[in-house]
Amino acid sequence: MPGRRVVITGMGVVSPIGHTKEEFWAGLMEGKSGISLIDHFDVTAFPTKIAAQVKDFNVQDYIPRKEARRMDLFVQYACAAARMAMDDAKLTIQPDKAERTGVWVGSGIGGLETIEKQHTAMLQKGPEFINPFFIPMLIANMAAGQVSIMTGAKGPNGCTVTACASGSNSIGEAYQLIKSGKADAMISGGTEASVTPLGIGGFCALKALSVQNEEPAKASRPFDLNRDGFVMGEGAGILILEELEHALERGARIYAELVGYGASADACHMVQPDPEGKGAAQAFRMALAEAGVKPEEVDYINAHGTGTSLNDIMETRAIKEVFGDHSHNLLVSSTKGNTGHMLGAAGAIELIAAALALTYDIVPPTLNLEIPDPECDLDYVPQKPRKAQLDIVMSDSLGFGGHNAVLVIRKFRQGI
């Protein structure tokens, strides 16, 4: 069954600019920024005092309070987004088909907030005050585990942990499971909740975060000459992937067809990308080859575009290497000016943005791109959305450790 086709039939979002896919898309089109001063904890001593926080999130809208108390926030986000994605797809898992529906949800860091709280409890009160659910709350695979418990999905279940590429890798793995015949449907994506003292402090120590605290909404500046680091974000993006006939038989709405996945390693450095973008270029080529798509057929790339000095130049070089002359005809944008960098959730949220761009034939803009870096000389759709006829779209994610993941989607046509 290697020729099985895979389609996207549902999407769920918990993000700094909206808690549904409709709110998320409206935020992208309106140029809304989810970045503000951190109010989760006291940031007086931190060089970076800003983040893209999820606000007004009520977990009891999605899961019972008793169950939520045994979940770290990153798991709560995943369960909420999965619930919305299932509703959007109008997918109900029947007991006789439960073993053919799986879950694959990645997280870059896992339950950091739980670690901090329980470590404090131990130091202040003693080890007997550690929550009995401490370990199952913090481990990164628990988002996938809890989503399967919530939905009844008994098929393949896993969690890919590849830093900022976790969401894209997880979707790619889910896609391959359906394509190879090991599942008929997968609930897949990424989730993260690392806007915590240790999370912000750790990235500050790396000097990876923007310190433009005076104007939070302008701090995330992908491809701009005056960018000074990324802005931490949080949330979850979950997609429902289905084998084509499975989706058609139940009359599902199809947003797009997922046709290619590429993954590679830089084998270069723990936190710095290969400056020439060779690893990213390899992932682009792998995804295009699997999709059977020529570089000149691609219309739009939702870029990783973090707003760090190294990533944006490297990513531009990778695109130019793979797409050649066509790279200057491509539309490329980063939505991290809206959402910040959602780490393990970024790839999933950005594939959702790409799928909605394909649906509406509108490319979301790169916010805060005012003075382009001369070494970043592609069309990054600055400041405002742009209408464009889209047929084939890509999304790429590049993570610490040199992990690269690229996904290709196209408008669904039954006869292709």
Side-chain angles (χ1 to χ4, degrees):
M1 292 181 277
R4 285 160 51 104
R5 295 169 66 182
V6 181
V7 293
I8 299 169
T9 59
M11 297 183 281
V13 170
V14 176
S15 84
I17 60 170
H19 299 338
T20 66
K21 76 176 192 301
E22 291 82 8
E23 289 180 1
F24 172 66
W25 181 248
L28 294 180
M29 293 297 98
E30 295 164 8
K32 180 179 179 180
S33 171
I35 301 169
S36 62
L37 290 172
I38 294 170
D39 57 16
H40 289 6
F41 56 91
D42 183 3
V43 294
T44 302
F46 293 80
T48 293
K49 306 178 191 301
I50 57 175
Q53 302 166 109
V54 168
K55 297 186 176 181
D56 303 319
F57 174 73
N58 183 5
V59 67
Q60 292 178 64
D61 290 341
Y62 311 99
I63 47 180
R65 180 173 177 271
K66 182 179 179 181
E67 294 176 22
R69 289 180 62 191
R70 297 175 178 177
M71 298 178 183
D72 186 90
L73 191 57
F74 87 102
V75 178
Q76 294 181 13
Y77 288 161
C79 286
R83 180 74 72 194
M84 286 185 273
M86 294 283 285
D87 290 346
D88 186 43
K90 296 180 173 59
L91 177 64
T92 301
I93 300 174
Q94 302 298 332
D96 62 334
K97 294 185 177 181
E99 293 180 1
R100 298 292 300 169
T101 302
V103 181
W104 210 280
V105 179
S107 180
I109 297 177
L112 193 56
E113 183 178 56
T114 292
I115 293 172
E116 293 180 33
K117 287 182 176 179
Q118 296 307 307
H119 183 249
T120 299
M122 184 186 72
L123 291 179
Q124 292 180 351
K125 300 178 181 179
E128 66 272 24
F129 285 90
I130 295 174
N131 189 320
F133 292 96
F134 168 50
I135 297 299
M137 285 173 68
L138 75 90
I139 49 181
N141 66 293
M142 197 50 65
Q146 290 283 22
V147 169
S148 71
I149 292 167
M150 179 183 75
T151 61
K154 296 182 178 180
N157 189 287
C159 163
T160 302
V161 181
T162 47
C164 309
S166 299
S168 291
N169 277 135
S170 292
I171 293 165
E173 296 302 314
Y175 156 75
Q176 290 187 330
L177 285 164
I178 297 173
K179 188 175 181 183
S180 66
K182 295 178 180 178
D184 293 326
M186 294 291 296
I187 305 164
S188 182
T191 185
E192 207 76 84
S194 297
V195 181
T196 72
L198 264 180
I200 296 295
F203 279 107
C204 281
L206 272 174
K207 301 193 183 303
L209 297 181
S210 171
V211 293
Q212 296 186 32
N213 300 311
E214 294 76 17
E215 292 186 279
K218 292 189 175 183
S220 180
R221 311 181 68 85
F223 306 108
D224 189 86
L225 183 64
N226 294 318
R227 67 192 184 278
D228 72 328
F230 77 86
V231 176
M232 181 89 80
E234 61 178 354
I238 299 292
L239 299 92
I240 305 301
L241 308 182
E242 294 185 62
E243 188 272 326
L244 176 59
E245 294 306 318
H246 185 274
L248 292 176
E249 283 176 10
R250 64 182 197 85
R253 172 182 179 174
I254 295 174
Y255 287 97
E257 182 173 2
L258 181 52
V259 292
Y261 168 50
S264 69
D266 284 353
C268 177
H269 191 276
M270 287 174 65
V271 297
Q272 295 180 8
D274 175 354
E276 298 304 314
K278 299 296 184 182
Q282 173 65 7
F284 274 116
R285 290 193 184 98
M286 290 174 67
L288 289 169
E290 183 170 55
V293 168
K294 297 176 182 177
E296 59 269 24
E297 294 179 296
V298 176
D299 302 304
Y300 166 56
I301 298 175
N302 187 295
H304 191 54
T306 59
T308 61
S309 59
L310 296 178
N311 175 90
D312 295 2
I313 293 172
M314 174 279 295
E315 192 171 8
T316 299
R317 289 173 179 167
I319 291 171
K320 291 167 77 170
E321 177 177 328
V322 173
F323 294 90
D325 292 341
H326 181 61
S327 62
H328 293 283
N329 299 321
L330 273 171
L331 299 178
V332 180
S333 72
S334 168
T335 47
K336 288 184 173 70
N338 305 87
T339 66
H341 189 348
M342 294 168 62
L343 306 184
I349 281 288
E350 289 159 14
L351 185 66
I352 289 172
L356 292 172
L358 196 62
T359 299
Y360 298 115
D361 284 322
I362 304 175
V363 174
T366 303
L367 293 190
N368 304 320
L369 178 48
E370 298 170 348
I371 305 174
D373 184 328
E375 293 191 69
C376 300
D377 57 350
L378 303 179
D379 184 350
Y380 303 108
V381 193
Q383 305 290 20
K384 295 181 180 180
R386 190 180 305 172
K387 289 192 68 67
Q389 193 67 39
L390 303 178
D391 185 53
I392 298 173
V393 169
M394 303 181 78
S395 179
D396 69 288
S397 300
L398 317 170
F400 279 2
H403 300 283
N404 307 297
V406 177
L407 299 163
V408 185
I409 57 175
R410 71 185 309 157
K411 278 188 176 161
F412 171 66
R413 294 184 180 85
Q414 192 152 354
I416 291 178

